[in-house]
Amino acid sequence: QVQLVESGGGSVQAGGSLRLSCAASGDTRNTGYMGWVRQAPGKEREGVAVIVRISSITLYADSVKGRFTISQDNAKNTLYLQMNTLKPEDTAMYYCAAARAGYVMGRLLSSPALFEYWGQGTQVTVSS
């Protein structure tokens, strides 16, 4: 089992920045990918970014490309999401998620339900 705990959410004005963190614990050796998934009220979950744990190769949703950066510190078992130039449409609950190895990255991004482990979420609110 893997436990994930997010932090760093909050309220910010459009154009501002936030940095989310996700502390992972438990049997993290079995996770091949980690990612960030968001869900706005009344909308489906949306994959935001995915990172390969062993290589740090990344993949982003088009909606955040160039504004968000996913990174990791494997020594600390911590995942990050740096969010810049935030827009009101970025308002959502942001979840940290992890998946075992063997997936295609794009599949995880387009079908975030494939992630096997989830944090409790942290709210990000962007006002105009």
Side-chain angles (χ1 to χ4, degrees):
Q1 287 293 323
V2 176
Q3 294 77 44
L4 304 171
V5 179
E6 303 96 334
S7 61
S11 297
V12 64
Q13 288 193 326
S17 298
L18 282 174
R19 189 194 197 200
L20 306 183
S21 298
C22 171
S25 61
D27 197 8
T28 58
R29 295 170 301 173
N30 288 332
T31 56
Y33 304 91
M34 294 195 73
W36 291 96
V37 179
R38 67 186 181 186
Q39 187 167 24
K43 294 189 177 181
E44 294 186 353
R45 283 181 292 187
E46 176 191 15
V48 173
V50 179
I51 189 167
V52 181
R53 293 198 72 239
I54 197 170
S55 67
S56 293
I57 294 173
T58 59
L59 185 66
Y60 296 92
D62 287 344
S63 58
V64 306
K65 202 173 294 182
R67 300 188 298 121
F68 291 11
T69 302
I70 187 172
S71 62
Q72 62 185 354
D73 184 336
N74 284 341
K76 295 182 179 179
N77 271 336
T78 303
L79 180 73
Y80 304 99
L81 185 68
Q82 178 66 44
M83 304 185 293
N84 297 329
T85 319
L86 282 160
K87 304 175 181 180
E89 51 263 44
D90 294 319
T91 295
M93 185 72 78
Y94 282 72
Y95 297 93
C96 174
R100 300 176 188 272
Y103 290 103
V104 173
M105 287 182 77
R107 191 89 170 95
L108 286 171
L109 198 65
S110 62
S111 302
L114 291 173
F115 281 104
E116 289 137 324
Y117 304 102
W118 294 82
Q120 82 288 351
T122 186
Q123 179 67 38
V124 172
T125 302
V126 185
S127 58
S128 56

